[in-house]
Amino acid sequence: MEINGQTVSGIGRYDEMGLSPELMRAIEKKGYVEATPIQTGAIPCFMDWKDVIAKAPTGTGKTFAFGIPMVEHTDPASSDITGLILAPTRELAIQIQDELRDLCAFKEGVRVVCLYGGQPIGGQISQLKKRPQIVVATPGRLMDHMKRRTVRLDKVQTVVLDEADRMLDMGFVRDVTHILDQIPHKRNLGMFSATISREVLDISWVYQREPVEITVQADQENRPDIAQYRLEADRGEKADVMARLLEMGDYERVIAFCNTKNMTDRLAGLLEMRGISSEAIHGDITQSLRERTLQKFRDGKIRVLAATDVAARGLDIDDVDAVFNYDVPDENEYYIHRIGRTGRARRHGVAFSLVSSISEGLRLDDIARSTGSQIRAVYFNEKGDLVAAAENE
């Protein structure tokens, strides 16, 4: 791990951070003892009210890195919003809320509310009337509440932009800057991201003061254990190939990524026709249905979740057995976020990319070069076994 360009140890323990008994009880209840490198670097900075810009791989514990100090700084007796977290997707916002509520388990009086689109705004207004101190929100829905004057941000002290690169890339730059402009007395701003884009640096330049720069590389300690494979398959045979791989690997929980909403619906149908329980999730599906589908997936009632890249981040699912790129992604970064859904929490994961055209093959070659991914070519031999392409040479 690097802090302001200097290599430092990423080893740390929660009981060495001077945390309150209430927070320690909540952390111990979760079964955690050692802090991740991003937590070891960020928590002391946030506790000292410093601005932070942090780059760390997906799944390295960023929520606790900003959540623990935010909860520690929250006065249970206050009736003002003092902590604000912005997230790019509804799924990520809900996940953050759940983790913060776990941290608040023994800190009576600290209230967390989640604001996101696709849900009736009336219920959220009712929640805001209970005077929460911490708000987790997507930028668009928070703007709606600001226009209705149902939320006040003038007492906010800490602001966090989670998945900052993704949020700004999705077109929320104006919303984010407008929201930050409405927080006159913030004491610190934290930005957490898997990549540091030009837009992220622009926000930092304007809204942060001498930020502490924390970088956690995807080294052997935190790099997901994911075996990556590519298979050549005719477009019309991809569903059959995927079904065959599911049977061979006996994968119980799988996410299959497609590039379009229509393709996710179609794939879910094709798998259902083959006796494989599957449902689609994408931006056109109502929030209530998305949440029900995700819960069924977590409960093991759905074997395959067919998804667009809207689901590549923010899903609170740590035990995905395999990821399928049914379509090769259009962006190199999407590949990393897609396969990052498996191999989490130090489990072994598998990622298959199905290639049906020369252009898809070239895209995957470029992804491998750009991301440093080792993607092994495999095929089915005459016996029906899956073997490495090199064995055929």
Side-chain angles (χ1 to χ4, degrees):
M1 177 174 67
E2 292 183 358
I3 296 181
N4 290 337
Q6 299 295 315
T7 301
V8 299
S9 172
I11 300 173
R13 291 172 57 94
Y14 296 111
D15 58 10
E16 297 173 346
M17 294 182 177
L19 303 179
S20 67
E22 293 82 3
L23 261 292
M24 284 305 303
R25 283 183 66 192
I27 293 168
E28 289 167 0
K29 184 179 178 181
K30 298 280 287 185
Y32 300 148
V33 176
E34 293 185 357
T36 65
I38 188 63
Q39 294 163 2
T40 301
I43 289 174
C45 296
F46 269 94
M47 292 299 292
D48 289 340
W49 300 101
K50 294 179 181 178
D51 286 345
V52 171
I53 181 168
K55 175 184 175 182
T58 301
T60 51
K62 288 180 279 187
T63 303
F64 272 25
F66 58 76
I68 288 174
M70 184 174 285
V71 173
E72 285 283 43
H73 284 153
T74 300
D75 179 3
S78 174
S79 59
D80 297 315
I81 298 170
T82 54
L84 173 65
I85 303 163
L86 296 179
T89 66
R90 293 168 280 195
E91 289 78 17
L92 180 57
I94 293 169
Q95 176 187 340
I96 295 170
Q97 173 193 238
D98 292 343
E99 293 197 41
L100 290 181
R101 285 180 172 173
D102 286 345
L103 287 173
C104 297
F106 302 101
K107 195 160 183 179
E108 188 175 350
V110 178
R111 298 172 293 278
V112 183
V113 165
C114 190
L115 310 176
Y116 54 88
Q119 186 185 61
I121 200 167
Q124 295 177 356
I125 293 174
S126 298
Q127 290 294 311
L128 287 167
K129 289 180 179 178
K130 297 179 181 179
R131 315 293 291 193
Q133 299 96 343
I134 299 175
V135 168
V136 186
T138 55
R141 179 48 64 99
L142 182 60
M143 290 280 287
D144 290 342
H145 281 283
M146 292 169 66
K147 292 174 183 176
R148 291 169 178 259
R149 300 183 183 278
T150 52
V151 65
R152 292 184 57 178
L153 305 179
D154 56 309
K155 303 294 185 180
V156 169
Q157 295 182 321
T158 297
V159 184
V160 171
L161 309 185
D162 197 14
E163 301 287 13
D165 57 337
R166 176 68 168 164
M167 183 154 47
L168 300 176
D169 186 55
M170 289 171 66
F172 288 124
V173 175
R174 289 187 178 181
D175 287 354
V176 169
T177 55
H178 177 78
I179 291 167
L180 292 175
D181 288 340
Q182 304 308 306
I183 304 174
H185 306 300
K186 69 174 174 61
R187 296 182 65 176
N188 63 330
L189 168 64
M191 296 201 294
F192 288 76
S193 207
T195 60
I196 304 299
S197 64
R198 178 72 257 171
E199 290 79 8
V200 171
L201 292 175
D202 288 344
I203 293 290
S204 175
W205 178 262
V206 176
Y207 294 97
Q208 291 187 313
R209 304 174 308 279
E210 299 182 358
V212 177
E213 299 181 20
I214 303 173
T215 301
V216 177
Q217 300 293 347
D219 57 24
Q220 293 305 314
E221 187 66 23
N222 56 53
R223 185 188 297 274
D225 177 18
I226 305 171
Q228 303 170 58
Y229 303 106
R230 63 183 288 167
L231 285 83
E232 305 289 334
D234 291 339
R235 185 70 186 178
E237 298 178 357
K238 278 190 174 185
D240 289 324
V241 170
M242 184 172 168
R244 192 172 178 183
L245 290 168
L246 288 171
E247 181 180 357
M248 292 179 65
D250 196 26
Y251 305 119
E252 296 180 358
R253 188 173 282 107
V254 172
I255 300 179
F257 285 101
C258 305
N259 290 346
T260 66
K261 301 168 187 176
N262 289 339
M263 194 63 242
T264 60
D265 291 329
R266 184 180 175 191
L267 175 58
L270 289 171
L271 293 176
E272 285 284 342
M273 289 171 57
R274 289 158 175 78
I276 300 168
S277 58
S278 178
E279 290 190 21
I281 179 172
H282 53 70
D284 285 349
I285 294 176
T286 64
Q287 181 63 21
S288 58
L289 179 56
R290 290 169 73 177
E291 291 177 10
R292 287 198 299 272
T293 299
L294 289 172
Q295 192 57 53
K296 288 164 67 177
F297 186 63
R298 294 187 188 100
D299 293 341
K301 297 176 181 177
I302 300 172
R303 188 176 182 186
V304 178
L305 188 68
T308 54
D309 286 293
V310 71
R313 299 191 186 199
L315 294 185
D316 185 18
I317 303 167
D318 287 335
D319 52 353
V320 174
D321 299 321
V323 164
F324 282 79
N325 288 308
Y326 194 80
D327 294 326
V328 175
D330 294 326
E331 301 291 339
N332 296 350
E333 185 183 338
Y334 290 171
Y335 179 84
I336 296 299
H337 291 303
R338 286 182 180 188
I339 69 170
R341 292 294 96 201
T342 188
R344 296 170 73 87
R346 301 194 178 183
R347 295 185 178 92
H348 175 70
V350 180
F352 294 98
S353 295
L354 306 183
V355 177
S356 62
S357 66
I358 293 176
S359 60
E360 280 194 320
L362 292 174
R363 280 285 312 120
L364 197 59
D365 289 340
D366 182 60
I367 288 170
R369 286 192 300 270
S370 301
T371 64
S373 300
Q374 295 182 340
I375 308 175
R376 297 179 61 191
V378 294
Y379 74 103
F380 292 108
N381 65 12
E382 294 178 356
K383 296 180 181 180
D385 298 323
L386 192 66
V387 297
E391 295 179 21
N392 195 37
E393 297 177 356

